[in-house]
Amino acid sequence: REHQKSAIAHVLYGGNTLLAHEVGAGKTFEMVAASMEAKRLGLCQKSLFVVPNHLTEQWASEFLRLYPSANILVTTKKDFETHNRKKFCARIATGDYDAIIMGHSQFERIPISRERQERLLYEQIDEITEGIAEVQASGGERFTVKQLERTRKSLEARLEKLQAEGRKDDVVTFEQLGVDRLFVDEAHNYKNLFLYTKMRNVAGLSTSDAQKSSDMFAKCRYMDEITGNRGVIFATGTPVSNSMTELYTMQRYLQYERLQELNMTHFDCWASRFGETVTALELAPEGTGYRARTRFSKFFNLPELMNLFKEVADIKTADQLNLPTPEVEYHNIVAQPTEHQQEMVKALSERASLVHSGTVDPSQDNMLKITSDGRKLGLDQRIVNQMLPDEPGTKVNQCVDNIMQIWRDGKADKLTQLVFCDISTPQAKAPASKAAKTLDNPLLHALEGAVPLPEQEPVFTVYDDIRQKLIAQGMPADQIAFIHEANTEVRKKELFSKVRTGQVRVLLGSTAKMGAGTNVQDRLVALHDLDCPWRPGDVGRILRTFKIKKNVEVTDNGKIII
């Protein structure tokens, strides 16, 4: 397609590139073709593709589909076991490969040289020291200075630990691999890059440092040095998913020297030119009142920001591409809460009030536990206590009725359906100690003895419940599958093939296992979301090209689509 050719040209003739294209736009082929064309033109010698762990083999087959004679090296789990890792890294360094394909977690296990790590830590410490001096000179708050000093201490501790470690000369470092092009698929997984700011009490500004993001940043800086800012290509359908700081993070990965030119490497300098904090009333998490909350949620100087961002970003949205995707009918099915659910929701609100007042020890109860219990309760009351009744109007029962109706209507064409559910997934039984913790859950005590508690950990799962109900209503068992049963790449490939041909007509799975890389859209006619996914990138498995039926349905059980 034309937009793919343009994206490849952007990679070849431009510098670092972000392929910010809509889901299903063909980013895989763009990256593969860009790497092979760059090698043909003598712009690079060895490309490294960093892809989600479960997609390495799928990437390899797509690569060979486009370039059947390419010489590629694909990593397996065994290659990165301790006794194999050195040998495998040596193969990368000494082999003449067109491309190496490895998983995100494997990429993180290739160390960057100790000298470079030290240099980067010194740079970060100097940056924070300057920030502290600025705050003190401008009469800033003592709290801000303390926060920055705490961050500096943690970096100094990391530096000391690095210097104390014995030198390991036999380890092949990232610099020694001979890689001169780095392609990163699903780059939004690296959005939690360290962030230093003097802003206080602003929601959405995470200053936590994810190790894998720091590692990626260090490797991107090295690639910039050896390629003159031309060697890093990121690809993601959601470059900005839930915080405006993610735009700044992407620019740091791909435009670091450009930000230095404009004196915007520090977040506060960038934010003062392009962003604004807005304070507004928000509904409190427990749902019983409102509170003022400040968020970094408004852009200004937008044309200038987009001109700067588009130096690296190749942005293509659905309305620009006009791909032959199906027309979608959205259904929002609202399930009314049962009496038990209403009782337990009141208990959640009371627990949240106690947590906010500071009268509860965080190890006993906290907002994370309350949120988790609320999600379980919102899906099905039997997840909390399997002795509670299975009432007819619940989300699960309404979902089963919808699946059966669509299954009957699509029998002639063997049309297929996906069911997404992230809670109550099939898993091995937990040990007794975990069962005891489960029974000590405060949410269970909300029933005040109205229902007897089970003596062992509940074995109820929504997945098994749906399967049993579908079989009871006449669907053959071999037409229903769980993604969790395909626990190897070979089994997953076989399962996806069955879904594409219509042998398996209902596939159940979680967002993590059935999200990115699940290309089974050939006969898909409906998608059911039982619980709300957290990120925008988790939606859209069905909105792909090449369908047998033009109209598809997306059912949102018990949720409001905003």
Side-chain angles (χ1 to χ4, degrees), residues 127-149 196-200 266 268:
E127 196 179 318
I128 291 182
T129 306
E130 283 174 26
I132 291 169
E134 276 176 38
V135 176
Q136 289 172 333
S138 60
E141 293 183 21
R142 178 71 189 140
F143 176 85
T144 307
V145 175
K146 276 187 173 179
Q147 210 172 15
L148 289 168
E149 282 175 347
Y196 309 129
T197 177
K198 298 189 283 289
M199 294 183 187
R200 266 192 72 186
H266 194 283
D268 290 357

Side-chain angles (χ1 to χ4, degrees), residues 32 35 104 158 175 181 195 204 213 219 244 265 295 307 367 382 415-416 445 450 459 462-463 500 505 508 513 527:
V32 169
S35 74
H104 284 170
R158 273 174 64 185
E175 293 96 317
R181 277 290 184 280
L195 185 72
S213 298
K219 288 168 182 173
M244 285 166 48
T265 48
R295 292 189 181 276
N307 282 342
M367 284 309 295
R382 291 169 297 162
L415 299 179
T416 58
H445 300 311
V459 290
V462 167
Y463 281 68
R500 283 194 290 268
R505 292 188 53 202
L508 292 89
K513 286 188 175 288
L527 182 148

Side-chain angles (χ1 to χ4, degrees), residues 488-506:
T488 66
E489 289 295 329
V490 175
R491 286 181 184 173
K492 195 179 283 186
K493 200 172 178 181
E494 190 182 321
L495 174 60
F496 288 173
S497 174
K498 284 182 179 177
V499 178
R500 283 194 290 268
T501 56
Q503 287 173 262
V504 170
R505 292 188 53 202
V506 177

Side-chain angles (χ1 to χ4, degrees), residues 304-340:
E304 291 81 0
L305 173 60
M306 290 315 294
N307 282 342
L308 178 63
F309 188 53
K310 282 186 176 179
E311 287 176 17
V312 292
D314 190 275
I315 302 168
K316 289 286 181 287
T317 57
D319 53 336
Q320 288 175 307
L321 295 175
N322 198 23
L323 295 171
T325 51
E327 294 166 17
V328 188
E329 295 172 29
Y330 287 99
H331 302 283
N332 183 31
I333 312 296
V334 180
Q336 296 303 319
T338 66
E339 285 182 22
H340 289 303

Side-chain angles (χ1 to χ4, degrees), residues 453-469:
L453 293 176
E455 291 182 4
Q456 57 181 13
E457 188 195 10
V459 290
F460 169 83
T461 70
V462 167
Y463 281 68
D464 290 324
D465 192 52
I466 291 174
R467 175 150 65 182
Q468 287 162 15
K469 285 172 178 171

Side-chain angles (χ1 to χ4, degrees), residues 38-52:
K39 180 157 188 178
R40 186 180 69 81
L41 295 169
L43 300 175
C44 76
Q45 291 304 312
K46 194 184 290 182
S47 297
L48 174 61
F49 287 80
V50 183
V51 307

Side-chain angles (χ1 to χ4, degrees), residues 355-427:
V355 167
H356 284 308
S357 67
T359 55
V360 183
D361 189 297
S363 63
Q364 297 298 316
D365 202 11
N366 53 58
M367 284 309 295
L368 188 60
K369 282 185 181 178
I370 295 167
T371 308
S372 177
D373 288 341
R375 290 186 71 215
K376 289 174 186 172
L377 184 59
L379 178 56
D380 198 289
Q381 60 193 29
R382 291 169 297 162
I383 300 171
V384 177
N385 184 348
Q386 67 175 8
M387 305 301 283
L388 289 171
D390 178 15
E391 301 191 26
T394 61
K395 279 189 193 181
V396 171
N397 288 322
Q398 290 191 45
C399 182
V400 168
D401 292 341
N402 287 337
I403 293 168
M404 283 306 300
Q405 184 59 50
I406 295 165
W407 176 78
R408 291 188 195 101
D409 294 345
K411 215 165 189 175
D413 295 324
K414 291 186 176 178
L415 299 179
T416 58
Q417 303 175 63
L418 294 183
V419 183
F420 280 95
C421 180
D422 291 342
I423 302 170
S424 188
T425 54
Q427 56 192 349

